[in-house]
Amino acid sequence: MTLTKISVTSSAKSSRRQLWFEKIMALLVLLNYSLVIFDLSYIPLRDFWLQGRVQIYLKIGAFEREIPDPPLKILPFPVTQYYDWVKGIEAYRETEHYLNLVNQLNDAIEQRITEPGNESQVQQIENLLEKLRHESVEMIAQNPFQVANKTGTLERIKNKMREHIFDKKDGSAKEAFTIFWTQENFQKNGLRHELDFFDEQIRPLIETNYFRPVGENGEPVNNFGLIDLPFFLVFLVEFMARTWSISRRHTGVSWFDAMLWRWYDIFLLIPLIRWLRIIPLIIRLNQAKLIDMKAIKKQASQGFVAGIAQDITEVVVIQIINQVQSSIEEGSIRNLVMRRNVNAYIDINDINETAEITKLVAHLIVEKVLPEIRPEAEAFLHYNIAKILTQTPAYQNLENLPGVKSLQTQLTQGLVSQLYQSLSQGLEQLLIEDQKFNELLERLANKFTKTMSTEMQCKQSIEQIEELINALLEEVKINYVQRLSSEDVEKILEQTRALRQEIN
């Protein structure tokens, strides 16, 4: 008793340790897959990781709007400063130089405001404005956003500038930038107002541009393998150790068979299709009891059944009926009748089963059934005989005579008792072993079968039977199969779920 208790306790502790190991590995796979998804979505979502702002640009026909306006700030710091190196992303020189010129212009204007007597600042501001006009025209003509596949961003910049200068999105974007970077525009619309417009509307769009070099393999630089390598090594060691352990624990299972046993873990070791690591992730989370796949599996299977049950039911049933019809058309019924008439009957046990079954049923009826139902049977016969007598014209004329009604009752009861007794005795005769009776019964059965087969061999009868069976099957297809295929499968599944709940 003590040894058994110790063994059970040791097994429970081992199971708990195994479960904790499964949980740790499942969480490690979850962390790795989160990094994989982040890496795969980094380029498409880099604008968000750069500025931490959320804004949706909607354009439906003539309707255009940015929602919300201004953008909603979510991230407190740019993630790009920590992750751009993974993708090999660098600042694009032309656009970075353009923004540096704007920064220099802001510094010169601030210095001009703080030192109004310094006339050299005026010339510096004018030189910076001229450079910005030239750089703006070059930016529009050269389209430095094309390398990062962000030509749409340049279009938004041009539209914003045209709308700001011309109050419409038509016109020359080059002319709009040329007008914007002038002293006259700053004096007309306000220096601070114009610079704030650029910093809030234009600068964030220009900042999203970047340069990503191409590696020797012809693909853009991607250093994610350096991040994924530690996970790969852990998964590889765990896979080799686990499969080796499985091959040792199970007889007849080779190491390669054990690897196939854990086929889903192979996706953790393939760097080209990292997104498929969702498969081992889900399986491991379920094995570690961090998620419950039973409900999901049940709903998925029920959805699958609901989707194909109707088609399968109709196809299978119609196919069966078509096969039966084909067999009939090929003469299966005719061949069956002919064969039964020609071939000799083979008796495997020297027993006439038909006669024995008849006697067995008679024995059951005479000894068990008839004595039990005699009161109800006599009452039934008495009622029907009395009813027949009362409807007879001759009896109706005698009914009013004294003593006739009581005589009718006595006669009826006697007749019913005699009939029931005769029936019982007749059935009892079947229980008596009678060779002559058996021979006559067998001759009757054989004669009936032979006559039936002979008459059915008539061409007209066979053809009529085949036509009727085919017509019946066609009606079944049209009426019942169609009705079955249009049955509400969801109701059937609901009934199935209700039955399962009752069983549980």
Side-chain angles (χ1 to χ4, degrees), residues 430-447:
L430 294 175
L431 302 179
I432 301 173
E433 187 66 31
D434 188 345
Q435 185 65 29
K436 185 66 175 179
F437 174 82
N438 293 340
E439 292 177 359
L440 292 174
L441 180 61
E442 185 174 357
R443 286 171 59 187
L444 175 62
N446 291 337
K447 184 66 174 180

Side-chain angles (χ1 to χ4, degrees), residues 237-336:
V237 171
E238 189 250 358
F239 178 74
M240 301 300 289
R242 188 190 289 269
T243 53
W244 181 81
S245 176
I246 291 173
S247 67
R248 298 278 293 182
R249 287 200 313 267
H250 298 276
T251 304
V253 178
S254 65
W255 199 354
F256 181 75
D257 294 335
M259 292 180 183
L260 296 179
W261 191 323
R262 300 283 299 189
W263 60 270
Y264 47 86
D265 284 340
I266 297 176
F267 292 110
L268 298 173
L269 310 176
I270 303 177
L272 299 179
I273 48 176
R274 294 189 178 100
W275 57 273
L276 283 179
R277 294 179 184 179
I278 185 67
I279 297 174
L281 172 62
I282 293 177
I283 295 175
R284 283 173 172 265
L285 289 176
N286 181 58
Q287 291 174 345
K289 298 182 179 180
L290 296 176
I291 62 173
D292 186 7
M293 290 296 296
K294 291 182 179 178
I296 300 174
K297 197 186 305 180
K298 183 171 69 174
Q299 292 300 324
S301 63
Q302 288 181 354
F304 177 76
V305 170
I308 69 171
Q310 176 176 333
D311 296 334
I312 288 181
T313 300
E314 185 173 352
V315 169
V316 170
V317 175
I318 289 179
Q319 185 176 8
I320 292 173
I321 294 176
N322 287 338
Q323 289 177 351
V324 173
Q325 289 179 316
S326 298
S327 299
I328 294 172
E329 292 173 358
E330 292 171 0
S332 298
I333 294 180
R334 185 175 300 140
N335 294 336
L336 179 63

Side-chain angles (χ1 to χ4, degrees), residues 120-136:
S120 62
Q121 295 297 327
V122 177
Q123 185 60 40
Q124 183 182 2
I125 291 173
E126 185 58 40
N127 292 337
L128 289 172
L129 289 174
E130 184 177 354
K131 288 182 180 181
L132 284 170
R133 289 194 293 268
H134 175 74
E135 294 289 340
S136 298

Side-chain angles (χ1 to χ4, degrees), residues 32-176:
N32 176 255
Y33 192 70
S34 299
L35 290 173
V36 168
I37 295 301
F38 175 80
D39 181 75
L40 293 176
S41 63
Y42 183 76
I43 295 298
L45 298 178
R46 185 179 178 276
D47 292 356
F48 170 72
W49 299 123
L50 172 66
Q51 299 169 350
R53 307 189 310 172
V54 175
Q55 188 178 53
I56 301 175
Y57 177 70
L58 292 179
K59 182 176 181 181
I60 305 175
F63 176 80
E64 294 184 46
R65 181 164 297 181
E66 293 177 337
I67 303 174
D69 192 16
L72 179 63
K73 185 77 172 179
I74 295 180
L75 297 179
F77 60 87
V79 178
T80 53
Q81 62 181 338
Y82 303 104
Y83 204 81
D84 270 357
W85 71 270
V86 177
K87 295 297 185 182
I89 292 177
E90 305 171 1
Y92 201 92
R93 287 192 296 270
E94 282 75 4
T95 51
E96 185 180 33
H97 176 67
Y98 186 89
L99 294 177
N100 286 335
L101 287 177
V102 177
N103 293 334
Q104 294 176 25
L105 177 64
N106 284 325
D107 293 340
I109 291 174
E110 290 294 331
Q111 190 174 359
R112 171 65 177 166
I113 293 174
T114 56
E115 300 177 9
N118 191 348
E119 294 297 330
S120 62
Q121 295 297 327
V122 177
Q123 185 60 40
Q124 183 182 2
I125 291 173
E126 185 58 40
N127 292 337
L128 289 172
L129 289 174
E130 184 177 354
K131 288 182 180 181
L132 284 170
R133 289 194 293 268
H134 175 74
E135 294 289 340
S136 298
V137 172
E138 286 295 318
M139 181 176 66
I140 294 172
Q142 299 297 328
N143 186 13
F145 293 84
Q146 186 175 5
V147 177
N149 197 25
K150 299 181 71 66
T151 301
T153 302
L154 178 60
E155 291 300 318
R156 291 181 62 190
I157 293 172
K158 290 157 62 176
N159 288 337
K160 284 179 177 291
M161 186 58 72
R162 282 191 290 244
E163 190 173 11
H164 179 73
I165 298 297
F166 304 130
D167 291 329
K168 59 181 181 179
K169 294 184 179 180
D170 297 332
S172 171
K174 295 179 181 180
E175 183 181 356

Side-chain angles (χ1 to χ4, degrees), residues 447-464:
K447 184 66 174 180
F448 176 82
T449 304
K450 183 177 180 180
T451 305
M452 192 72 176
S453 300
T454 302
E455 293 300 324
M456 287 183 66
Q457 288 181 46
C458 175
K459 183 177 181 181
Q460 183 177 359
S461 299
I462 289 290
E463 290 179 352
Q464 189 174 6

